[in-house]
Amino acid sequence: EYYNSSWTDPGLDNIGNVERNSYTGPSFFSSDLGLTKAFNVWESVNIKFRMDAFNAFNHINAGNPGGNIESSGDIGGLAPGGTPRQLEFSLRVQF
């Protein structure tokens, strides 16, 4: 939970009582995978198949909470690199 009702605005020229690093964002998790397979067709002809998966486990990464301590604590947007899973395929003929 990112919102704590005990955080209040201390007022002008007053030092607050919030501990250091007590308001942090969620962790970031992303895994990229790649697979390659090579086939020999003839002596001098090779075929290479490649598949890349970006954010392979399709984990959602939420953005950081807003800087206003009096807000409702909603987390908006996605963190950089928080795109959905993307697959890329390629086929290469080498001779």
Side-chain angles (χ1 to χ4, degrees):
E1 184 173 319
Y2 299 101
Y3 179 71
N4 187 344
S5 62
S6 65
W7 293 336
T8 58
D9 188 2
L12 185 61
D13 295 331
N14 291 321
I15 297 175
N17 60 355
V18 176
E19 297 175 9
R20 184 176 185 189
N21 296 328
S22 63
Y23 193 58
T24 60
S27 60
F28 183 82
F29 175 80
S30 181
S31 293
D32 299 336
L33 298 175
L35 298 172
T36 303
K37 178 68 177 173
F39 300 96
N40 291 330
V41 179
W42 293 291
E43 271 184 34
S44 61
V45 178
N46 296 325
I47 295 178
K48 292 184 180 179
F49 175 75
R50 182 177 173 105
M51 186 209 63
D52 293 314
F54 303 100
N55 192 8
F57 301 113
N58 207 23
H59 187 269
I60 297 173
N61 294 300
N64 287 322
N68 184 358
I69 63 173
E70 295 178 350
S71 68
S72 63
D74 295 333
I75 299 173
L78 293 174
T83 58
R85 178 188 305 129
Q86 295 178 350
L87 300 176
E88 183 178 295
F89 298 94
S90 66
L91 186 66
R92 177 179 173 179
V93 178
Q94 185 175 355
F95 51 92

